[in-house]
Amino acid sequence: MAFQEPAAEHLAGAAAETFNAGRTILEHVSNSSREHPLIHLPTLAGIDFSVTKHVLMLWLVAGTVFVLVTWAIRRYLRQDRLVPSGFMNALEAIVEFVRDSIVLPNVGKKWVNTWTPLVLTLFIFIVSANAIGLIPIFDVLGVLNHWVLHAGEESFIVRVMHGGSTATANFNVTAALATITFLAIIVAGTKAHGFVKHWENLVPHGLAAPIYVILIPIELMGMFVRPFALTMRLAANMTGGHIAILAILSFVFLFTERFGTAIAGIGVGFVLSVPMAFGISLLEIIVVLVQAYVFSLLTAVFIGMAIHVHH
Amino acid sequence: MTKDEDRGGDLQRSLNAFQENIRRAGPAALAGYTLIGAILLLGGIGYAIDRWRGTSHWFLLAGLLAGLVVGFYELARTVWRSGGPPRE
């Protein structure tokens, strides 16, 4: 019958619009699609340089940290008195904390000034990238767009709202950071003992020859496994917290859909979702700091292991 | 000592204890991650070789076994190195 066709289409449309919690959560934590990048850039040597959401967040974090730190230090150097104040005071406290609590106990006095800049850079970058992911910038932009801006589907504003905003939840980003650690371990060992001696130090000395046949491949594989564990740990922890918050918040929409009334969703949101999401968000603040701390600490531990060889 | 100062001191002590716990737990947590990471990484490499060569799961099994060996070796190293590196 003629009236059945629009009804069927309506039902199909309604089914298509059913809230899919898994898809929504994944879209909010993963990178934006490579087919629709935020900024189109050319492909060079088979590598597409187009900018996706996580790349944009990386630039944002790197740019913000660079401008803020440079500005604070230049202002401090221009002033007459030696006592820092305001942001510079906080920055100095972070520098001292990283140097005295993370780098010094692991690499020792002789090498502390060589390796503090690297560990400090990693710490500040990871803290900033983690923290920016906690601030709902793009969600506020979405609300603004819905009520005020009404930008088109293909506009930059709408495209920038797709995808997660925590760059450190992307395994490629953490893999790049772990690669820096991996190279730093080799450079540290080489600087301390010389290139050949560093590789000799990988395995204990004075063992029977057949043991080396087993031990050398294990140590070589271990060399790659340690940065891989760093990669997994940071990205998994940053993704996990966001998934937990989004899963709890999705109860609002699931209950609305299940009971066919908004009151059910609002009730669950008021009693369960929002308080729990708030609690987990507070925990996430600790996670943001702890994860940056542990990454920096382990980088210092690995560098220290390459310098002070123990078997 | 006023109540506020006392509370501030408690907070400071709690934060210090928290930091100390994380500092000590960091390498131990890494040993756990290394164990899983080794199995995942080497198992994954084995799986990729199996897909590439068309062999049925032999490289995956070898990768998983190698992952177990490397993971436990790293775990043992972390446990043995309980004293930590010396301060120079």
Side-chain angles (χ1 to χ4, degrees):
Chain A
M1 276 190 282
F3 71 87
Q4 276 178 335
E5 280 172 20
E9 274 173 25
H10 176 76
L11 277 176
E17 281 172 19
T18 303
F19 178 69
N20 186 330
R23 200 175 56 200
T24 310
I25 291 170
L26 276 181
E27 208 211 89
H28 274 79
V29 292
S30 56
N31 199 356
S32 60
S33 123
R34 273 187 301 175
E35 284 72 38
H36 303 285
L38 300 177
I39 301 165
H40 279 282
L41 289 177
T43 301
L44 296 173
I47 303 166
D48 187 357
F49 281 86
S50 295
V51 176
T52 55
K53 179 75 170 282
H54 282 162
V55 178
L56 183 80
M57 295 312 293
L58 275 181
W59 286 4
L60 197 71
V61 172
T64 310
V65 169
F66 177 75
V67 169
L68 269 178
V69 172
T70 313
W71 166 76
I73 290 171
R74 288 178 81 93
R75 206 180 61 152
Y76 171 69
L77 291 175
R78 272 203 305 270
Q79 75 184 23
D80 298 329
R81 59 199 181 89
L82 283 172
V83 182
S85 58
F87 179 67
M88 187 59 206
N89 205 0
L91 196 63
E92 194 181 283
I94 295 171
V95 173
E96 275 187 5
F97 166 74
V98 171
R99 188 192 61 193
D100 298 342
S101 298
I102 301 178
V103 185
L104 183 64
N106 291 296
V107 305
K109 259 186 195 164
K110 189 180 171 189
W111 298 97
V112 67
N113 288 337
T114 311
W115 294 107
T116 298
L118 176 78
V119 178
L120 183 68
T121 309
L122 285 172
F123 180 78
I124 291 183
F125 179 78
I126 295 169
V127 162
S128 311
N130 291 353
I132 281 186
L134 270 189
I135 306 167
I137 319 164
F138 298 101
D139 305 274
V140 173
L141 194 67
V143 173
L144 258 179
N145 182 50
H146 185 78
W147 295 105
V148 185
L149 302 169
H150 307 295
E153 201 52 41
E154 281 305 306
S155 65
F156 182 79
I157 289 177
V158 172
R159 277 185 293 147
V160 88
M161 286 187 298
H162 292 292
S165 52
T166 315
T168 37
N170 188 319
F171 282 87
N172 298 302
V173 174
T174 52
L177 293 173
T179 306
I180 295 172
T181 301
F182 176 75
L183 296 175
I185 296 166
I186 297 173
V187 173
T190 308
K191 272 174 87 100
H193 307 287
F195 186 74
V196 178
K197 185 81 179 146
H198 166 67
W199 293 100
E200 281 177 8
N201 283 342
L202 277 182
V203 284
H205 305 295
L207 297 174
I211 304 222
Y212 286 114
V213 177
I214 305 165
L215 216 52
I216 290 171
I218 290 177
E219 281 289 353
L220 283 175
M221 283 188 275
M223 244 177 73
F224 291 94
V225 164
R226 269 174 252 147
F228 181 74
L230 274 184
T231 304
M232 273 204 330
R233 202 191 47 73
L234 180 58
N237 277 300
M238 293 322 296
T239 314
H242 290 291
I243 289 178
I245 292 172
L246 290 166
I248 288 165
L249 286 178
S250 67
F251 285 159
V252 175
F253 305 99
L254 291 171
F255 272 76
T256 302
E257 212 170 68
R258 178 71 182 83
F259 293 99
T261 167
I263 295 167
I266 293 169
V268 167
F270 194 71
V271 175
L272 184 78
S273 294
V274 174
M276 275 186 80
F278 178 72
I280 295 176
S281 297
L282 291 181
L283 272 179
E284 277 286 283
I285 294 172
I286 300 173
V287 171
V288 157
L289 294 169
V290 169
Q291 292 313 318
Y293 177 74
V294 172
F295 194 102
S296 317
L297 176 72
L298 292 176
T299 300
V301 168
F302 291 151
I303 291 172
M305 278 164 67
I307 294 171
H308 312 286
V309 185
H310 288 275
H311 285 293
Chain B
M1 191 185 278
T2 64
K3 266 188 175 177
D4 279 352
E5 279 174 349
D6 202 21
R7 217 172 286 151
D10 283 346
L11 182 68
Q12 187 62 41
R13 272 199 299 279
S14 304
L15 286 174
N16 285 344
F18 183 57
Q19 189 199 322
E20 183 58 21
N21 282 335
I22 296 170
R23 195 185 68 74
R24 286 185 180 181
L30 182 87
Y33 274 102
T34 309
L35 180 59
I36 301 164
I39 296 167
L40 279 179
L41 180 69
L42 297 173
I45 291 170
Y47 178 74
I49 296 174
D50 268 335
R51 291 272 307 239
W52 172 48
R53 303 294 300 167
T55 43
S56 60
H57 311 309
W58 288 111
F59 282 99
L60 172 65
L61 285 171
L64 289 173
L65 195 67
L68 270 173
V69 172
V70 173
F72 274 105
Y73 178 73
E74 292 291 327
L75 184 70
R77 257 177 58 150
T78 310
V79 175
W80 283 329
R81 207 182 49 247
S82 55
R87 288 161 192 256
E88 246 176 54

